[in-house]
Amino acid sequence: MKKFWALFFWFWPIVALWVCFAAPGRNWWFPSPPKSTLGHQIDGLFYLILIIVTLTFIGTEAALGYVLWRGATKDASGKAWFSHGSHKLEIIWTIVPAFVLVFISLTQLDVLADIRVLSKFPDEAKKGALAEVTARQFEWRIRYPKPGTMLMTDPQPGDLYFVNELHVPAAVPTMVNLRTQDVQHAFFAPKLRVKQDAVPGLVIPLWFEIEEAGEYELLCAELCGWGHYKMKARIVADSPKGVSEYLTRLEAEQNEDGVAEAPAGEESAEE
C-alpha cells in the first residue's frame, strides 16, 4: 500500500502532460482560436504561465512520489533520520518562485500597456470612439454619433441608439467608450479575448481589432444581479462600408415618424 501512494503521485504528472498536449486541439482551454490581434498576445501569456505551472506541478509531484517511494522501500529496521531543515533549501525555494513571478510580471507589461494605456492605442483607434457602450441591468445600450460627426461624452440630439448589438468594422482598430448606468459590469468577448470592467462613475476607453468579419458573443463577466445570466449581446464585425450602411439604416429607422409621405399628385390637388 505504501508503494501505491508513490505511484499515485507519479501518475498525475503523466495525466498533466497529456492534457497540456491534447487540450489545444480539442478547444479545452479556449472556445476558439483568437479572433482579434490582442487575442494572440493574451493567448501567448496564457500558454507561458501554463508551461511554468505544468513544469512546477510535474517537479513537485515527482519529488513527492520519490520521497514516498524511498519511504516505502526503506528497511524498517534501519535507524531513523531527523532533520531540522535546510537554510539553503529554504533560500532556493523562496528565490526561485520570486524570480518566476518577477519574470511573468515583466513579460506581461508590454501587453498590458497595449491594452490599457491610451497613448499605446493604435493611431486609427485614437481618432475617436466609434460608439459608447453602456452596461445596465441587464442589457447593453449602444450609442453611436450621428453619421459624419464625432462621438461626444454627453448624448447629442442626432445620436443613434440600439440595444444588445454593436457593429464595428473588421480588420480596423476600433475604440469604444465603456460605462455603466448602475452597478459594476464587465465587457467580455471570449473569442476576442477582450475583457474590461465597467466601473460606476468612469468612462473607460477600450480598443480591439477583429481580424475577420462575423458575429461574436458579448457577455457580462461580473455578477451584477439576478438577471446576470441573460445579459448577452453580440458584436457584428463588417466591412467599413457595411458599418456605414448600417448606421444610415439605423438613422432612417430612428427618425421614422410613421407618417407616409403623400403622393406628389395629391399635394398638387390640395394646393
Side-chain angles (χ1 to χ4, degrees):
M1 189 63 182
K2 292 180 180 179
K3 293 182 179 180
F4 165 79
W5 288 111
L7 296 173
F8 176 81
F9 284 103
W10 278 336
F11 168 76
W12 291 111
I14 298 174
V15 173
L17 277 176
W18 179 83
V19 169
C20 287
F21 282 110
R26 300 168 184 260
N27 290 330
W28 287 352
W29 297 137
F30 298 109
S32 72
K35 300 297 183 180
S36 71
T37 53
L38 288 175
H40 296 283
Q41 296 175 275
I42 296 295
D43 282 15
L45 288 176
F46 175 87
Y47 283 116
L48 171 65
I49 295 173
L50 179 64
I51 291 171
I52 293 173
V53 171
T54 301
L55 293 177
T56 303
F57 176 75
I58 291 173
T60 54
E61 293 298 293
L64 182 57
Y66 171 76
V67 171
L68 291 173
W69 185 267
R70 283 287 302 273
T73 57
K74 185 178 181 180
D75 184 5
S77 62
K79 184 178 180 181
W81 175 71
F82 296 92
S83 172
H84 293 287
S86 169
H87 291 295
K88 291 183 179 180
L89 192 59
E90 293 284 350
I91 292 173
I92 290 172
W93 66 37
T94 299
I95 291 179
V96 171
F99 173 79
V100 171
L101 291 176
V102 171
F103 170 73
I104 294 174
S105 298
L106 294 177
T107 302
Q108 59 87 36
L109 281 178
D110 289 340
V111 180
L112 183 63
D114 290 341
I115 297 173
R116 304 290 189 218
V117 180
L118 186 60
S119 61
K120 294 283 188 178
F121 284 17
D123 292 337
E124 185 68 26
K126 287 190 290 186
K127 289 180 180 179
L130 172 74
E132 178 185 84
V133 180
T134 300
R136 55 167 285 174
Q137 295 173 314
F138 298 96
E139 65 184 12
W140 301 92
R141 291 195 170 187
I142 317 299
R143 177 171 69 90
Y144 302 96
K146 178 181 174 63
T149 65
M150 299 291 291
L151 182 73
M152 307 299 289
T153 302
D154 296 322
Q156 302 298 308
D159 287 348
L160 310 177
Y161 296 87
F162 207 76
V163 177
N164 293 337
E165 187 172 292
L166 173 63
H167 284 247
V168 301
V172 177
T174 303
M175 184 172 72
V176 299
N177 288 336
L178 181 63
R179 65 197 312 170
T180 174
Q181 187 174 319
D182 38 49
V183 301
Q184 183 167 322
H185 299 274
F187 181 104
F188 180 41
K191 292 185 178 181
L192 306 182
R193 312 292 194 264
V194 174
K195 183 178 183 295
Q196 171 63 57
D197 285 355
V199 182
L202 297 181
V203 178
I204 302 174
L206 171 67
W207 85 273
F208 49 84
E209 181 181 351
I210 302 177
E211 296 178 329
E212 301 174 0
E215 295 185 4
Y216 302 91
E217 189 175 32
L218 170 61
L219 308 170
C220 178
E222 194 78 30
L223 184 58
C224 56
W226 68 268
H228 166 71
Y229 71 95
K230 64 179 182 179
M231 192 169 170
K232 299 179 181 180
R234 63 177 182 169
I235 300 174
V236 179
D238 200 354
S239 65
K241 181 180 178 181
V243 175
S244 178
E245 292 174 350
Y246 165 77
L247 293 177
T248 300
R249 292 195 305 272
L250 185 60
E251 181 181 30
E253 293 173 2
Q254 183 170 295
N255 295 331
E256 172 63 42
D257 58 9
V259 178
E261 295 183 4
E266 293 184 10
E267 290 180 0
S268 300
E270 290 177 0
E271 291 177 357

